[in-house]
Amino acid sequence: MSLKSFQSEIQDICARELARQRGQASGTLASRNIHSKKTQIVEDSNIVVEASQSRDAGVEDEVEAVLTLLSIHDYDRARTSVAQLITGRKGEYIFHIGCRPPHASLFAEESVDEATGWSGVPRTDVEVTSLQSSVKRVVEELGGKISVLFETTDSHYPRATLLLRLPPPSIELVPEVRCAVVGNVDSGKSTTLGVLTRGPLDDGRGRARVALFRHKHEIETGRTSSIGMEILGFSTAGTPVLPNILPSADVDVIRRDKLGWDEISARSAKIVSFSDLAGHERYLKTTLYGLTSGAPSCVILMVGANAGLIGMSKEHLAIALALSVPVVVCITKIDMTPPNILNETTKQVVKILKSPGCRKTPVFVNSMEVAIESSQTFAQHKLCPIFRVSNVTGEGLDYFRTFLNLLPSSEADTETFTVDQPLEYSVTDVWSVPYVGTVVNGILNSGSVKTGDSVLFGPDSNGHFQSTLVRSMQRKRADVATAEAGQCVALALKRVKRAAVRKGMVIVHKTDTPPKATRQFEGQVLILYHNTTMQRNYQAMLHCGAVRQTVRIISMDNPEGVLRTGDRATVQFEFITQPEFVKVGMKLLFREGKTKGLGVITRLL
């Protein structure tokens, strides 16, 4: 049983269950429509590919229509069309003028000028320049800004790529991209994030990472032990929102001179949220929780050029692949690595990505055009962009920033996050804040919430749900009044003790029939690695969304009654400590020491 075929089965089960749950919530008519759509998808994946291709062709036609209107100076109709393009894509749009090179040649580092398969209408360099200024005029009349991402006029095919962006109406609606940053210890994760979010380059001695650390022992050892959260804002003009600070060697100055999250949110038209996960083997449990509960849009795997893909890097890559999260590789420290070692590291990364376990196509991002095109297509086409950066000289960082700036927002994934369903909010963090009370942080999986709503939270140790009110809400430390599916927000709960709430709980709207907590469930699992055999009463730590608890195997359908590496079975699990809120179709990952298993919940018992 291969991992890939098992993963595609998991995706089918998740899709079917999602369709069924949505159908129940939105009536039989919607159910019929979704069911017919879903069976089509399951029957023939080619239809989906054709549909996406025809949609892309439709968008290209719209862009050409806008350019035609601009060339005849019909600005009113062009303005309406541009407004529709931008608003239909969450307030930003990547606009191409001229022909587009074939992706196969572009991503294979071949010369694209001689390649065949160009798409779009050819333009002269004079047309490209004049159309740019016309697009700029139209977008500025709408209140937006344009930034020129890429332009070339001295090739066979003069072309330009622009980013059109409107300022968000309020902080509640700022699009957000969630990225999890993983990699082996000492691979440069915190340093890279420090340079990206602060601006000044590193000194080669760890100056850039100091501002990210939360604990004294982290500053002393230079090793992250908790899930550090950092945000990088991009303005309407597409430039990063950075503090105006001078390079300093003083630790206290570096930690003090930074923009508040609320200030970054107010000045940004898009936010990239990084979870800086721990690289050390000792903190694998924390890293796993960050990957399963944080619902990241992509995983950024940091690889030190001097050390290669070693230790926990392979572990983190395997987990990201098991959870079907798109992967981006970032090779750091290229300034201090000898060329022969850098080549060895690059070959090793390519070999692992092409191996049967990964089956990804590596794409080296060596030009702005590759960064732009790969940011839009890497998730769907199993590509893995590879960046080579230096935090000391700044080499390669521009491509990386542009790539992050153009990533589709996490809320735009309407397959995963649905606004028109009942509220479901997973709790991933709990604090007690002086003069505020109990505050929870988490992600809205579905529905919407506003301040003053009556909600239920649970399940507690008996499987019951308690009622409370949402006193106030914050998103990226800025006060907001509403939040929608796909957003990450913090809620202050009224008259709730800190001890009554724990990670893994859910918050739902108050109804006559509270949701049911589950103690036993059945799932289809694939054992990725186990050094001996698993049998009844075997215990392991289960990660399922924001739920993290020890489970016990109570039965399995294997005739021998034991499971080994590579075995697949239908297994019944039981939570050891207390019941949890889980749903059919949720992915699960369980581990105990080096043992790892992947699966999906198929039935609640």
Side-chain angles (χ1 to χ4, degrees), residues 414-480:
T414 49
E415 278 295 304
T416 314
F417 304 111
T418 44
V419 181
D420 54 356
Q421 297 293 304
L423 169 69
E424 186 194 306
Y425 172 98
S426 312
V427 176
T428 58
D429 240 323
V430 189
W431 307 283
S432 184
V433 179
Y435 309 110
V436 178
T438 303
V439 174
V440 295
N441 188 46
I443 293 171
L444 270 89
N445 298 323
S446 62
S448 58
V449 66
K450 56 184 189 295
T451 49
D453 278 1
S454 293
V455 293
L456 299 171
F457 68 92
D460 59 12
S461 52
N462 302 318
H464 298 146
F465 282 74
Q466 318 289 325
S467 65
T468 182
L469 278 176
V470 177
R471 178 186 285 176
S472 63
M473 267 196 295
Q474 283 196 340
R475 182 167 180 232
K476 302 283 167 268
R477 301 180 192 162
D479 289 324
V480 293

Side-chain angles (χ1 to χ4, degrees), residues 466-529:
Q466 318 289 325
S467 65
T468 182
L469 278 176
V470 177
R471 178 186 285 176
S472 63
M473 267 196 295
Q474 283 196 340
R475 182 167 180 232
K476 302 283 167 268
R477 301 180 192 162
D479 289 324
V480 293
T482 61
E484 287 185 349
Q487 295 186 342
C488 188
V489 289
L491 311 178
L493 305 178
K494 199 170 186 179
R495 295 202 186 94
V496 174
K497 285 195 168 70
R498 160 74 181 80
V501 193
R502 60 181 171 78
K503 292 179 184 181
M505 278 187 168
V506 290
I507 292 177
V508 294
H509 272 140
K510 202 168 183 178
T511 53
D512 299 334
T513 52
K516 286 213 313 237
T518 306
R519 194 175 267 281
Q520 295 183 350
F521 61 92
E522 188 176 274
Q524 293 214 5
V525 298
L526 175 70
I527 309 305
L528 300 176
Y529 175 79

Side-chain angles (χ1 to χ4, degrees), residues 204-498:
R205 292 278 173 272
R207 180 179 66 198
R209 69 186 177 203
V210 168
L212 273 71
F213 289 147
R214 295 163 63 173
H215 304 293
K216 186 169 178 278
H217 71 86
E218 291 180 331
I219 296 172
E220 287 164 359
T221 62
R223 288 181 178 171
T224 310
S225 65
S226 57
I227 299 179
M229 292 297 294
E230 284 301 314
I231 66 171
L232 168 62
F234 287 97
S235 67
T236 316
T239 53
V241 177
L242 303 170
N244 294 322
I245 51 175
L246 296 168
S248 166
D250 187 353
V251 172
D252 294 329
V253 171
I254 295 169
R255 289 177 66 79
R256 189 176 62 243
D257 282 348
K258 57 181 181 182
L259 287 176
W261 282 23
D262 48 351
E263 199 180 337
I264 295 173
S265 302
R267 286 166 53 181
S268 300
K270 185 176 203 171
I271 287 174
V272 182
S273 302
F274 300 103
S275 315
D276 183 14
L277 303 178
H280 202 283
E281 191 168 359
R282 188 189 307 162
Y283 308 120
L284 178 63
K285 184 174 85 166
T286 310
T287 304
L288 243 176
Y289 185 70
L291 282 173
T292 53
S293 69
S297 296
C298 77
V299 165
I300 300 170
L301 177 69
M302 296 283 180
V303 178
N306 54 345
L309 202 59
I310 53 163
M312 296 308 289
S313 300
K314 291 180 183 173
E315 196 85 25
H316 294 157
L317 178 61
I319 293 162
L321 292 167
L323 293 169
S324 308
V325 185
V327 179
V328 176
V329 174
C330 189
I331 299 175
T332 58
K333 308 186 187 183
I334 61 170
D335 56 286
M336 62 172 273
T337 310
N340 60 324
I341 305 287
L342 179 59
N343 285 340
E344 277 176 33
T345 301
T346 309
K347 277 183 195 160
Q348 182 204 17
V349 169
V350 168
K351 185 181 171 190
I352 288 176
L353 289 174
K354 285 182 173 176
S355 67
C358 289
R359 290 203 191 130
K360 295 224 179 254
T361 309
V363 174
F364 287 98
V365 183
N366 294 328
S367 72
M368 203 54 92
E369 196 166 20
V370 177
I372 296 161
E373 296 294 339
S374 61
S375 70
Q376 302 307 300
T377 55
F378 81 104
Q380 298 91 320
H381 299 298
K382 292 203 165 59
L383 303 176
C384 179
I386 301 176
F387 294 87
R388 286 174 284 205
V389 304
S390 163
N391 294 313
V392 176
T393 63
E395 188 184 336
L397 284 173
D398 285 346
Y399 302 149
F400 196 31
R401 274 206 183 98
T402 302
F403 179 84
L404 293 169
N405 183 16
L406 302 179
L407 284 175
S409 70
S410 300
E411 304 99 82
D413 182 5
T414 49
E415 278 295 304
T416 314
F417 304 111
T418 44
V419 181
D420 54 356
Q421 297 293 304
L423 169 69
E424 186 194 306
Y425 172 98
S426 312
V427 176
T428 58
D429 240 323
V430 189
W431 307 283
S432 184
V433 179
Y435 309 110
V436 178
T438 303
V439 174
V440 295
N441 188 46
I443 293 171
L444 270 89
N445 298 323
S446 62
S448 58
V449 66
K450 56 184 189 295
T451 49
D453 278 1
S454 293
V455 293
L456 299 171
F457 68 92
D460 59 12
S461 52
N462 302 318
H464 298 146
F465 282 74
Q466 318 289 325
S467 65
T468 182
L469 278 176
V470 177
R471 178 186 285 176
S472 63
M473 267 196 295
Q474 283 196 340
R475 182 167 180 232
K476 302 283 167 268
R477 301 180 192 162
D479 289 324
V480 293
T482 61
E484 287 185 349
Q487 295 186 342
C488 188
V489 289
L491 311 178
L493 305 178
K494 199 170 186 179
R495 295 202 186 94
V496 174
K497 285 195 168 70
R498 160 74 181 80

Side-chain angles (χ1 to χ4, degrees), residues 8 50 55 107 158 166 184 241 322 388 443 459 538 585 605:
S8 59
E50 282 168 24
R55 192 169 62 243
F107 294 159
L166 295 175
N184 197 48
V241 177
R388 286 174 284 205
I443 293 171
Y538 174 83
L605 306 173

